[in-house]
PDB file of all heavy atoms in Angstrom:
ATOM      1  N   PHE W 551      -8.652  82.467 -22.057  1.00  0.00           N
ATOM      2  CA  PHE W 551      -9.670  81.451 -21.806  1.00  0.00           C
ATOM      3  C   PHE W 551      -9.138  80.061 -22.158  1.00  0.00           C
ATOM      4  O   PHE W 551      -9.231  79.113 -21.391  1.00  0.00           O
ATOM      5  CB  PHE W 551     -10.900  81.792 -22.641  1.00  0.00           C
ATOM      6  CG  PHE W 551     -12.058  80.849 -22.473  1.00  0.00           C
ATOM      7  CD1 PHE W 551     -12.812  80.844 -21.316  1.00  0.00           C
ATOM      8  CD2 PHE W 551     -12.405  79.971 -23.504  1.00  0.00           C
ATOM      9  CE1 PHE W 551     -13.896  79.989 -21.170  1.00  0.00           C
ATOM     10  CE2 PHE W 551     -13.486  79.114 -23.365  1.00  0.00           C
ATOM     11  CZ  PHE W 551     -14.222  79.133 -22.186  1.00  0.00           C
ATOM     12  N   ARG W 552      -8.508  79.965 -23.336  1.00  0.00           N
ATOM     13  CA  ARG W 552      -8.019  78.662 -23.781  1.00  0.00           C
ATOM     14  C   ARG W 552      -6.864  78.163 -22.922  1.00  0.00           C
ATOM     15  O   ARG W 552      -6.822  77.006 -22.528  1.00  0.00           O
ATOM     16  CB  ARG W 552      -7.566  78.747 -25.233  1.00  0.00           C
ATOM     17  CG  ARG W 552      -8.759  78.824 -26.087  1.00  0.00           C
ATOM     18  CD  ARG W 552      -8.524  78.861 -27.553  1.00  0.00           C
ATOM     19  NE  ARG W 552      -9.833  79.043 -28.117  1.00  0.00           N
ATOM     20  CZ  ARG W 552     -10.756  78.099 -28.135  1.00  0.00           C
ATOM     21  NH1 ARG W 552     -10.484  76.909 -27.671  1.00  0.00           N
ATOM     22  NH2 ARG W 552     -11.941  78.331 -28.627  1.00  0.00           N
ATOM     23  N   THR W 553      -5.924  79.053 -22.659  1.00  0.00           N
ATOM     24  CA  THR W 553      -4.785  78.624 -21.862  1.00  0.00           C
ATOM     25  C   THR W 553      -5.268  78.188 -20.484  1.00  0.00           C
ATOM     26  O   THR W 553      -4.853  77.170 -19.950  1.00  0.00           O
ATOM     27  CB  THR W 553      -3.769  79.766 -21.722  1.00  0.00           C
ATOM     28  OG1 THR W 553      -3.656  80.407 -22.981  1.00  0.00           O
ATOM     29  CG2 THR W 553      -2.439  79.249 -21.273  1.00  0.00           C
ATOM     30  N   GLU W 554      -6.192  78.979 -19.954  1.00  0.00           N
ATOM     31  CA  GLU W 554      -6.737  78.637 -18.648  1.00  0.00           C
ATOM     32  C   GLU W 554      -7.368  77.262 -18.670  1.00  0.00           C
ATOM     33  O   GLU W 554      -7.157  76.452 -17.775  1.00  0.00           O
ATOM     34  CB  GLU W 554      -7.807  79.647 -18.242  1.00  0.00           C
ATOM     35  CG  GLU W 554      -7.256  80.882 -17.622  1.00  0.00           C
ATOM     36  CD  GLU W 554      -6.563  80.560 -16.316  1.00  0.00           C
ATOM     37  OE1 GLU W 554      -7.075  79.779 -15.520  1.00  0.00           O
ATOM     38  OE2 GLU W 554      -5.467  81.088 -16.123  1.00  0.00           O
ATOM     39  N   LEU W 555      -8.135  77.017 -19.690  1.00  0.00           N
ATOM     40  CA  LEU W 555      -8.808  75.730 -19.764  1.00  0.00           C
ATOM     41  C   LEU W 555      -7.795  74.603 -19.778  1.00  0.00           C
ATOM     42  O   LEU W 555      -7.936  73.611 -19.080  1.00  0.00           O
ATOM     43  CB  LEU W 555      -9.662  75.649 -21.029  1.00  0.00           C
ATOM     44  CG  LEU W 555     -11.057  76.227 -20.912  1.00  0.00           C
ATOM     45  CD1 LEU W 555     -11.763  76.081 -22.239  1.00  0.00           C
ATOM     46  CD2 LEU W 555     -11.833  75.499 -19.828  1.00  0.00           C
ATOM     47  N   SER W 556      -6.744  74.796 -20.582  1.00  0.00           N
ATOM     48  CA  SER W 556      -5.810  73.684 -20.693  1.00  0.00           C
ATOM     49  C   SER W 556      -5.012  73.535 -19.403  1.00  0.00           C
ATOM     50  O   SER W 556      -4.633  72.441 -19.025  1.00  0.00           O
ATOM     51  CB  SER W 556      -4.889  73.869 -21.903  1.00  0.00           C
ATOM     52  OG  SER W 556      -3.910  74.818 -21.619  1.00  0.00           O
ATOM     53  N   VAL W 557      -4.785  74.620 -18.697  1.00  0.00           N
ATOM     54  CA  VAL W 557      -4.036  74.521 -17.444  1.00  0.00           C
ATOM     55  C   VAL W 557      -4.926  74.008 -16.325  1.00  0.00           C
ATOM     56  O   VAL W 557      -4.618  73.044 -15.638  1.00  0.00           O
ATOM     57  CB  VAL W 557      -3.443  75.902 -17.070  1.00  0.00           C
ATOM     58  CG1 VAL W 557      -2.854  75.845 -15.673  1.00  0.00           C
ATOM     59  CG2 VAL W 557      -2.396  76.301 -18.079  1.00  0.00           C
ATOM     60  N   ILE W 558      -6.074  74.654 -16.181  1.00  0.00           N
ATOM     61  CA  ILE W 558      -6.923  74.300 -15.054  1.00  0.00           C
ATOM     62  C   ILE W 558      -7.626  72.982 -15.277  1.00  0.00           C
ATOM     63  O   ILE W 558      -7.866  72.225 -14.355  1.00  0.00           O
ATOM     64  CB  ILE W 558      -7.904  75.441 -14.751  1.00  0.00           C
ATOM     65  CG1 ILE W 558      -7.081  76.573 -14.143  1.00  0.00           C
ATOM     66  CG2 ILE W 558      -9.004  75.023 -13.814  1.00  0.00           C
ATOM     67  CD1 ILE W 558      -7.746  77.888 -14.143  1.00  0.00           C
ATOM     68  N   GLY W 559      -7.898  72.695 -16.544  1.00  0.00           N
ATOM     69  CA  GLY W 559      -8.502  71.409 -16.845  1.00  0.00           C
ATOM     70  C   GLY W 559      -7.618  70.259 -16.407  1.00  0.00           C
ATOM     71  O   GLY W 559      -8.071  69.151 -16.200  1.00  0.00           O
ATOM     72  N   GLN W 560      -6.351  70.537 -16.291  1.00  0.00           N
ATOM     73  CA  GLN W 560      -5.438  69.454 -15.906  1.00  0.00           C
ATOM     74  C   GLN W 560      -5.262  69.312 -14.419  1.00  0.00           C
ATOM     75  O   GLN W 560      -4.646  68.374 -13.956  1.00  0.00           O
ATOM     76  CB  GLN W 560      -4.064  69.719 -16.505  1.00  0.00           C
ATOM     77  CG  GLN W 560      -4.002  69.339 -17.934  1.00  0.00           C
ATOM     78  CD  GLN W 560      -2.581  69.249 -18.365  1.00  0.00           C
ATOM     79  OE1 GLN W 560      -1.777  68.557 -17.758  1.00  0.00           O
ATOM     80  NE2 GLN W 560      -2.252  69.966 -19.397  1.00  0.00           N
ATOM     81  N   THR W 561      -5.716  70.292 -13.663  1.00  0.00           N
ATOM     82  CA  THR W 561      -5.551  70.155 -12.227  1.00  0.00           C
ATOM     83  C   THR W 561      -6.586  69.169 -11.735  1.00  0.00           C
ATOM     84  O   THR W 561      -7.737  69.166 -12.176  1.00  0.00           O
ATOM     85  CB  THR W 561      -5.760  71.492 -11.510  1.00  0.00           C
ATOM     86  OG1 THR W 561      -7.070  71.949 -11.780  1.00  0.00           O
ATOM     87  CG2 THR W 561      -4.748  72.521 -11.958  1.00  0.00           C
ATOM     88  N   HIS W 562      -6.152  68.331 -10.862  1.00  0.00           N
ATOM     89  CA  HIS W 562      -7.084  67.361 -10.316  1.00  0.00           C
ATOM     90  C   HIS W 562      -6.604  67.029  -8.929  1.00  0.00           C
ATOM     91  O   HIS W 562      -5.572  66.412  -8.755  1.00  0.00           O
ATOM     92  CB  HIS W 562      -7.114  66.116 -11.186  1.00  0.00           C
ATOM     93  CG  HIS W 562      -8.215  65.200 -10.786  1.00  0.00           C
ATOM     94  ND1 HIS W 562      -9.483  65.329 -11.278  1.00  0.00           N
ATOM     95  CD2 HIS W 562      -8.248  64.193  -9.903  1.00  0.00           C
ATOM     96  CE1 HIS W 562     -10.242  64.415 -10.715  1.00  0.00           C
ATOM     97  NE2 HIS W 562      -9.524  63.711  -9.880  1.00  0.00           N
ATOM     98  N   HIS W 563      -7.315  67.520  -7.980  1.00  0.00           N
ATOM     99  CA  HIS W 563      -6.847  67.352  -6.613  1.00  0.00           C
ATOM    100  C   HIS W 563      -8.052  67.407  -5.703  1.00  0.00           C
ATOM    101  O   HIS W 563      -8.992  68.162  -5.938  1.00  0.00           O
ATOM    102  CB  HIS W 563      -5.868  68.479  -6.276  1.00  0.00           C
ATOM    103  CG  HIS W 563      -5.207  68.316  -4.957  1.00  0.00           C
ATOM    104  ND1 HIS W 563      -5.806  68.682  -3.784  1.00  0.00           N
ATOM    105  CD2 HIS W 563      -4.009  67.796  -4.636  1.00  0.00           C
ATOM    106  CE1 HIS W 563      -4.990  68.408  -2.786  1.00  0.00           C
ATOM    107  NE2 HIS W 563      -3.896  67.860  -3.275  1.00  0.00           N
ATOM    108  N   LYS W 564      -7.984  66.604  -4.665  1.00  0.00           N
ATOM    109  CA  LYS W 564      -9.076  66.523  -3.710  1.00  0.00           C
ATOM    110  C   LYS W 564      -9.451  67.899  -3.159  1.00  0.00           C
ATOM    111  O   LYS W 564     -10.596  68.132  -2.809  1.00  0.00           O
ATOM    112  CB  LYS W 564      -8.613  65.605  -2.578  1.00  0.00           C
ATOM    113  CG  LYS W 564      -9.624  65.320  -1.527  1.00  0.00           C
ATOM    114  CD  LYS W 564      -8.981  64.439  -0.461  1.00  0.00           C
ATOM    115  CE  LYS W 564      -9.905  64.330   0.735  1.00  0.00           C
ATOM    116  NZ  LYS W 564      -9.247  63.694   1.861  1.00  0.00           N
ATOM    117  N   ASN W 565      -8.510  68.789  -3.050  1.00  0.00           N
ATOM    118  CA  ASN W 565      -8.787  70.079  -2.438  1.00  0.00           C
ATOM    119  C   ASN W 565      -8.924  71.222  -3.453  1.00  0.00           C
ATOM    120  O   ASN W 565      -8.757  72.381  -3.112  1.00  0.00           O
ATOM    121  CB  ASN W 565      -7.726  70.414  -1.393  1.00  0.00           C
ATOM    122  CG  ASN W 565      -7.714  69.405  -0.265  1.00  0.00           C
ATOM    123  OD1 ASN W 565      -6.766  68.656  -0.089  1.00  0.00           O
ATOM    124  ND2 ASN W 565      -8.799  69.350   0.493  1.00  0.00           N
ATOM    125  N   LEU W 566      -9.202  70.870  -4.678  1.00  0.00           N
ATOM    126  CA  LEU W 566      -9.525  71.884  -5.678  1.00  0.00           C
ATOM    127  C   LEU W 566     -10.884  71.549  -6.259  1.00  0.00           C
ATOM    128  O   LEU W 566     -11.185  70.387  -6.486  1.00  0.00           O
ATOM    129  CB  LEU W 566      -8.498  71.873  -6.817  1.00  0.00           C
ATOM    130  CG  LEU W 566      -7.037  72.114  -6.478  1.00  0.00           C
ATOM    131  CD1 LEU W 566      -6.214  72.097  -7.754  1.00  0.00           C
ATOM    132  CD2 LEU W 566      -6.861  73.428  -5.757  1.00  0.00           C
ATOM    133  N   VAL W 567     -11.668  72.568  -6.485  1.00  0.00           N
ATOM    134  CA  VAL W 567     -12.939  72.322  -7.142  1.00  0.00           C
ATOM    135  C   VAL W 567     -12.647  71.812  -8.550  1.00  0.00           C
ATOM    136  O   VAL W 567     -11.773  72.325  -9.236  1.00  0.00           O
ATOM    137  CB  VAL W 567     -13.775  73.616  -7.209  1.00  0.00           C
ATOM    138  CG1 VAL W 567     -14.952  73.442  -8.139  1.00  0.00           C
ATOM    139  CG2 VAL W 567     -14.259  73.979  -5.834  1.00  0.00           C
ATOM    140  N   GLN W 568     -13.368  70.781  -8.926  1.00  0.00           N
ATOM    141  CA  GLN W 568     -13.088  70.161 -10.208  1.00  0.00           C
ATOM    142  C   GLN W 568     -13.851  70.852 -11.325  1.00  0.00           C
ATOM    143  O   GLN W 568     -15.062  71.008 -11.269  1.00  0.00           O
ATOM    144  CB  GLN W 568     -13.484  68.682 -10.122  1.00  0.00           C
ATOM    145  CG  GLN W 568     -13.255  67.911 -11.390  1.00  0.00           C
ATOM    146  CD  GLN W 568     -11.786  67.596 -11.594  1.00  0.00           C
ATOM    147  OE1 GLN W 568     -11.020  67.479 -10.647  1.00  0.00           O
ATOM    148  NE2 GLN W 568     -11.378  67.479 -12.846  1.00  0.00           N
ATOM    149  N   LEU W 569     -13.093  71.277 -12.324  1.00  0.00           N
ATOM    150  CA  LEU W 569     -13.715  71.831 -13.512  1.00  0.00           C
ATOM    151  C   LEU W 569     -14.182  70.670 -14.380  1.00  0.00           C
ATOM    152  O   LEU W 569     -13.411  69.767 -14.670  1.00  0.00           O
ATOM    153  CB  LEU W 569     -12.697  72.689 -14.276  1.00  0.00           C
ATOM    154  CG  LEU W 569     -13.182  73.405 -15.525  1.00  0.00           C
ATOM    155  CD1 LEU W 569     -14.259  74.423 -15.177  1.00  0.00           C
ATOM    156  CD2 LEU W 569     -12.022  74.091 -16.213  1.00  0.00           C
ATOM    157  N   LEU W 570     -15.449  70.671 -14.742  1.00  0.00           N
ATOM    158  CA  LEU W 570     -15.975  69.533 -15.507  1.00  0.00           C
ATOM    159  C   LEU W 570     -15.996  69.819 -17.001  1.00  0.00           C
ATOM    160  O   LEU W 570     -15.786  68.942 -17.814  1.00  0.00           O
ATOM    161  CB  LEU W 570     -17.395  69.207 -15.058  1.00  0.00           C
ATOM    162  CG  LEU W 570     -17.584  68.872 -13.578  1.00  0.00           C
ATOM    163  CD1 LEU W 570     -19.063  68.747 -13.270  1.00  0.00           C
ATOM    164  CD2 LEU W 570     -16.857  67.590 -13.236  1.00  0.00           C
ATOM    165  N   GLY W 571     -16.262  71.071 -17.318  1.00  0.00           N
ATOM    166  CA  GLY W 571     -16.371  71.362 -18.738  1.00  0.00           C
ATOM    167  C   GLY W 571     -16.516  72.851 -18.974  1.00  0.00           C
ATOM    168  O   GLY W 571     -16.354  73.651 -18.053  1.00  0.00           O
ATOM    169  N   PHE W 572     -16.824  73.203 -20.182  1.00  0.00           N
ATOM    170  CA  PHE W 572     -16.840  74.610 -20.546  1.00  0.00           C
ATOM    171  C   PHE W 572     -17.773  74.796 -21.724  1.00  0.00           C
ATOM    172  O   PHE W 572     -18.190  73.809 -22.356  1.00  0.00           O
ATOM    173  CB  PHE W 572     -15.428  75.056 -20.933  1.00  0.00           C
ATOM    174  CG  PHE W 572     -14.912  74.331 -22.136  1.00  0.00           C
ATOM    175  CD1 PHE W 572     -15.030  74.890 -23.400  1.00  0.00           C
ATOM    176  CD2 PHE W 572     -14.359  73.056 -22.009  1.00  0.00           C
ATOM    177  CE1 PHE W 572     -14.586  74.206 -24.515  1.00  0.00           C
ATOM    178  CE2 PHE W 572     -13.921  72.365 -23.125  1.00  0.00           C
ATOM    179  CZ  PHE W 572     -14.036  72.939 -24.386  1.00  0.00           C
TER     180      PHE W 572
END
Side-chain angles (χ1 to χ4, degrees):
F551 181 72
R552 286 182 184 288
T553 318
E554 277 296 317
L555 274 180
S556 76
V557 171
I558 288 163
Q560 281 196 53
T561 60
H562 189 87
H563 187 278
K564 184 182 170 190
N565 298 113
L566 301 182
V567 168
Q568 180 76 28
L569 183 63
L570 302 173
F572 63 96

